[in-house]
């Protein structure tokens, strides 16, 4: 898909995102996904399935608990909200029916970045911008000291 097709797809999948506005900040690629991006890796696709990269300290399953294990292993700890906190990196973990579906990373400005599957990297207003039928809701927030 080209960028115009991705814009149409994003508008159809995420009505709130379309209303709030977003910016494409990275080209579509199969090189990495949302989990990898939130974990600061743009070289590998992170997925629990066989043949894909998954940290050896985390359970290989699509359960939310497994995704929490991934980010705990990267020194993140659960926190209460998505608000900007000076000196911290934050991630929002999305779930649907007990399974993880997506991860987003907060930027130092308080906006959020999400890699959309094989699509583009986007910057959006909040984790709730992507809430809905496709990804479910941001259900867990985690933070770690920056640096």
């Amino acid at each position: 898909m080209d960028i115009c097709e991705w814009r149409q797809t994003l508008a159809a999948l995420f009505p709130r995102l379309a209303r709030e506005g977003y910016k494409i900040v990275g080209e579509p690629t199969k090189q990495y996904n949302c989990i990898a991006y939130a974990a600061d890796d743009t070289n590998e696709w992170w997925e629990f399935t066989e043949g894909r990269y998954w940290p050896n300290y985390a359970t290989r399953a699509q359960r939310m608990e497994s995704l929490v294990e991934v980010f705990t292993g990267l020194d993140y700890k659960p926190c209460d909200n998505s608000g900007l906190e000076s000196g911290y990196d934050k991630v929002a973990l999305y779930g649907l029916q007990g399974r993880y579906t997506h991860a987003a990373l907060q930027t130092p400005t308080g906006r959020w970045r999400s890699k959309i599957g094989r699509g583009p990297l986007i910057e959006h207003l909040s984790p709730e911008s992507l809430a809905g039928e496709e990804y479910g809701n941001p259900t867990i927030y985690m933070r770690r000291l920056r640096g």
Side-chain angles (χ1 to χ4, degrees):
M1 272 196 273
D2 66 18
I3 292 295
C4 281
E5 291 170 309
W6 273 110
R7 286 189 189 282
Q8 291 172 346
T9 298
L10 290 171
L13 292 175
F14 307 109
R16 183 170 173 173
L17 177 70
R19 284 192 310 274
E20 293 176 347
Y22 65 95
K23 180 170 51 172
I24 293 177
V25 294
E27 294 295 316
T29 178
K30 296 183 253 183
Q31 185 71 32
Y32 65 96
N33 63 351
C34 62
I35 308 303
Y37 182 79
D40 197 29
D41 181 355
T42 57
N43 294 312
E44 202 135 22
W45 189 282
W46 290 33
E47 191 174 327
F48 71 96
T49 58
E50 195 66 34
R52 293 285 193 175
Y53 175 77
W54 196 248
N56 61 8
Y57 56 80
T59 306
R60 222 176 242 280
Q62 196 176 1
R63 298 184 339 259
M64 284 297 293
E65 296 84 4
S66 299
L67 192 56
V68 169
E69 289 174 9
V70 167
F71 285 96
T72 299
L74 297 171
D75 296 325
Y76 282 86
K77 293 177 178 32
C79 63
D80 293 333
N81 61 61
S82 64
L84 182 63
E85 293 183 60
S86 180
Y88 285 93
D89 293 321
K90 274 194 179 178
V91 293
L93 310 182
Y94 294 68
L96 194 58
Q97 299 174 349
R99 297 175 302 140
Y100 77 79
T101 56
H102 183 67
L105 178 68
Q106 190 177 48
T107 71
T109 67
R111 293 182 65 83
W112 292 78
R113 288 196 173 182
S114 290
K115 174 66 168 59
I116 307 297
R118 296 169 183 255
L121 175 65
I122 64 169
E123 189 169 293
H124 48 95
L125 182 63
S126 72
E128 290 76 19
S129 301
L130 298 177
E133 293 179 23
E134 185 70 17
Y135 288 156
N137 293 300
T139 58
I140 297 173
Y141 299 103
M142 300 181 79
R143 69 181 189 173
R144 71 175 174 194
L145 281 171
R146 188 172 293 133

